[in-house]
Amino acid sequence: MRFQVKLSLLGAILLIPIEGILISAAGQATASSLDRDRGRVMLSVIKGDLKKNYYDPNFHGIDIEARFKEADEKVKQAASLGQILGIIAQALMDLNDSHTYFLPPDRPYTTDYGWQMQMIGEKCYVVAVKPGSDPEAKGLKEGDEIHSIDGLGATRENLWKIQYLYNALRPKPGMRLVVIKPTGQEQQLDAMAKITPGKRVMDLTGGDIDDLIRKEENENRLHRHRYIEMGPDLFIWKMPSFDLEDSKVDDMTSKFKKCKALILDVRGNGGGYESTLLRLVSNLFDRDIKVGELKRRKETKPIEAKTRGASAFVGNLIVLIDSQSGSAAELMARIVQLEKRGIVIGDRSAGAVMRSKAYRHELGVDTVVPYGVSITDADIIMSDDNSLERVGVVPDEIRLATAADMVAKRDSVLSYAALLAGVTLTAEKAGTLFPVEWRK
């Protein structure tokens, strides 16, 4: 099972390869009767998955039958393929559940927006711009505050919906941005995306297999675990996701076991596997830990991590989180706080902490259309009897990057954490340790 945050935290607006169902780049290809029929079938199957597997049999007071019947009527009248997918997605979004969402069909192209944004405190900033991209040429820079995207302001509450729309449902060839420069000057610009056509049908007996291997290698490179050893005093682990097997977690622990301090950097970490979380807890505590309880539809059961005893790390622990730290990353940070194991520093986390399961389906015979749905099967109640969903983790010390830090590519948060560990690390040097990397 996965504690995996919603799509918004998997990478912000950058080049996420969203692929899918016979839709134009703007998602506005005219819908045929076949498209509407397929949309209605998808809607019906997803409703069945939801009714059977959602952790709350009362669906937060929502009349699921009435809601999906209304959605079905809208699909019958939909004018475009993008509209059909949007209707299906909205039927699930009405639950306001971070881990329950529509997984739309693949598209035979990728959309590279060439920039990343993030909530820092209560403001949305550009945190990275891809070299050589159209946004860079238009003057978009790190440290610019996002005032609006196609006329819509970005907040902590709606940012994930914006990202879900642009990345998954209706990727666009560009967007109109209004930004506020660090000088206070307002600027409007049209940031165009790079659209890369792909193939609808792959020949796995020929050269296409090489392309798939290259893509997989590229993804592995972007999501690899990185670390820096600073002698016996400090080990810094940049953990992008909870995706390691037990043996890999143990191997990583062996690298810093004798260090005086560990900085576990889960900023931007959207979550991952329950097993990875439990194994990491086992390696960071010298006693058994009750993570919390899984509150499911028909049962509630404890989640516990058994310590690895003498093999566990006993040095000082500092955890870094931000607004994109979600799910398992949030659970990790909160466990450290509740058990008084270390200190948590950074920004308030995402508040997207549920356990979910993905259900995959296919439509068609000659032309197969894959799609799916992620459904929450349990809420996580922490040992203090509270849920982090829509609440998040408030750091012990709130430390936020400034616009000036972003412009200069300084990491003042990591620098401060190192200082707490007794190691001098300038913000300028810290900013070079784990640079933003882009898909090739």
Side-chain angles (χ1 to χ4, degrees):
M1 289 291 184
R2 292 177 72 83
F3 293 120
Q4 181 65 57
V5 78
K6 56 183 169 264
L7 231 104
S8 62
L9 300 180
L10 297 179
I13 290 189
L14 71 164
L15 40 63
I16 297 177
I18 312 293
E19 300 154 306
I21 185 176
L22 329 171
I23 305 182
S24 69
Q28 294 301 323
T30 302
S32 66
S33 59
L34 175 60
D35 296 326
R36 296 188 191 93
D37 289 343
R38 283 181 166 177
R40 296 181 66 197
V41 170
M42 285 191 279
L43 193 65
S44 176
V45 171
I46 287 171
K47 182 184 74 171
D49 286 339
L50 187 66
K51 292 182 67 176
K52 181 179 179 181
N53 301 293
Y54 194 62
Y55 82 105
D56 178 7
N58 297 315
F59 305 101
H60 310 306
I62 292 176
D63 186 336
I64 291 298
E65 290 293 342
R67 190 62 54 94
F68 274 77
K69 181 178 180 180
E70 179 184 354
D72 184 71
E73 292 299 321
K74 289 181 179 179
V75 170
K76 291 179 184 179
Q77 305 300 321
S80 71
L81 291 161
Q83 227 178 354
I84 292 172
L85 298 187
I87 293 166
I88 297 171
Q90 187 61 53
L92 293 169
M93 290 170 68
D94 289 342
L95 286 167
N96 194 26
D97 185 315
S98 67
H99 285 55
T100 300
Y101 50 85
F102 177 42
L103 301 171
D106 292 341
R107 288 182 175 80
Y109 59 85
T110 59
T111 303
D112 178 355
Y113 290 107
W115 63 286
Q116 299 178 18
M117 66 179 175
Q118 180 180 334
M119 294 301 304
I120 297 178
E122 297 304 319
K123 294 183 178 181
C124 185
Y125 287 93
V126 175
V127 294
V129 180
K130 186 176 183 179
S133 65
D134 181 77
E136 182 191 50
K138 297 288 179 58
L140 191 67
K141 296 183 181 297
E142 291 88 351
D144 290 350
E145 180 185 342
I146 300 296
H147 182 268
S148 66
I149 303 170
D150 288 333
L152 183 64
T155 66
R156 274 186 179 260
E157 289 69 31
N158 72 1
L159 183 59
W160 78 270
K161 294 180 181 180
I162 294 174
Q163 294 169 329
Y164 181 56
L165 173 66
Y166 281 86
N167 288 327
L169 292 178
R170 298 182 185 178
K172 294 187 175 183
M175 58 189 76
R176 175 157 292 180
L177 304 176
V178 176
V179 301
I180 301 174
K181 294 291 185 178
T183 60
Q185 177 186 4
E186 189 173 290
Q187 178 183 349
Q188 176 180 294
L189 57 95
D190 293 326
M192 305 307 294
K194 179 181 178 182
I195 308 295
T196 304
K199 294 183 178 181
R200 291 186 181 276
V201 179
M202 302 291 286
D203 178 8
L204 299 184
T205 64
D208 290 345
I209 188 65
D210 294 331
D211 291 337
L212 286 176
I213 292 173
R214 281 193 292 270
K215 287 180 180 179
E216 183 177 2
E217 290 175 343
N218 192 18
E219 289 300 312
N220 290 338
R221 174 184 64 84
L222 291 174
H223 296 98
R224 73 189 186 281
H225 291 246
R226 294 183 278 177
Y227 62 88
I228 297 293
E229 298 176 87
M230 303 190 73
D233 294 323
L234 179 61
F235 188 96
I236 305 173
W237 180 2
K238 181 68 173 176
M239 188 180 194
S241 179
F242 283 74
D243 59 356
L244 298 178
E245 298 176 355
D246 287 358
S247 61
K248 296 296 184 182
V249 177
D250 296 345
D251 288 345
M252 185 66 80
T253 303
S254 68
K255 298 180 188 299
F256 59 78
K257 180 184 175 183
K258 296 182 179 180
C259 285
K260 293 180 180 179
L262 166 68
I263 295 178
L264 181 64
D265 188 349
V266 290
R267 291 175 295 177
N269 183 322
Y273 292 108
E274 176 183 329
S275 59
T276 305
L277 169 67
L278 295 181
R279 193 63 174 187
L280 181 57
V281 173
S282 297
N283 275 282
L284 296 179
F285 289 81
D286 60 3
R287 62 189 186 280
D288 295 346
I289 297 295
K290 180 180 178 180
V291 173
E293 292 187 333
L294 281 177
K295 184 179 180 182
R296 307 185 71 181
R297 176 178 287 205
K298 296 181 179 180
E299 65 174 351
T300 298
K301 67 176 185 178
I303 311 175
E304 298 178 341
K306 300 293 184 181
T307 179
R308 295 191 69 226
S311 296
F313 171 70
V314 296
N316 295 329
L317 176 61
I318 302 171
V319 180
L320 305 185
I321 62 174
D322 63 10
S323 66
Q324 292 184 327
S325 300
S327 237
E330 297 180 89
L331 293 174
M332 182 73 246
R334 187 59 179 152
I335 292 166
V336 169
Q337 288 182 329
L338 291 173
E339 300 297 331
K340 297 179 171 53
R341 174 65 178 86
I343 185 171
V344 178
I345 299 172
D347 197 359
R348 178 165 61 91
S349 64
V353 185
M354 305 291 265
R355 194 178 79 162
S356 64
K357 182 177 180 180
Y359 297 86
R360 305 284 181 175
H361 303 288
E362 292 182 348
L363 270 177
V365 179
D366 295 329
T367 301
V368 176
V369 179
Y371 68 98
V373 59
S374 172
I375 296 178
T376 294
D377 73 346
D379 192 1
I380 315 299
I381 308 301
M382 304 298 292
S383 61
D384 63 351
D385 296 327
N386 292 312
S387 171
L388 296 174
E389 181 72 2
R390 294 191 293 276
V391 176
V393 176
V394 178
D396 299 307
E397 290 192 38
I398 294 180
R399 290 272 168 168
L400 306 179
T402 65
D405 286 335
M406 289 176 254
V407 171
K409 293 182 172 57
R410 298 191 299 254
D411 191 341
S412 58
V413 179
L414 179 55
S415 173
Y416 176 71
L419 182 63
L420 291 183
V423 174
T424 298
L425 176 65
T426 66
E428 289 76 13
K429 178 62 176 178
T432 67
L433 298 182
F434 307 108
V436 175
E437 297 179 324
W438 304 91
R439 287 180 178 83
K440 297 178 179 178

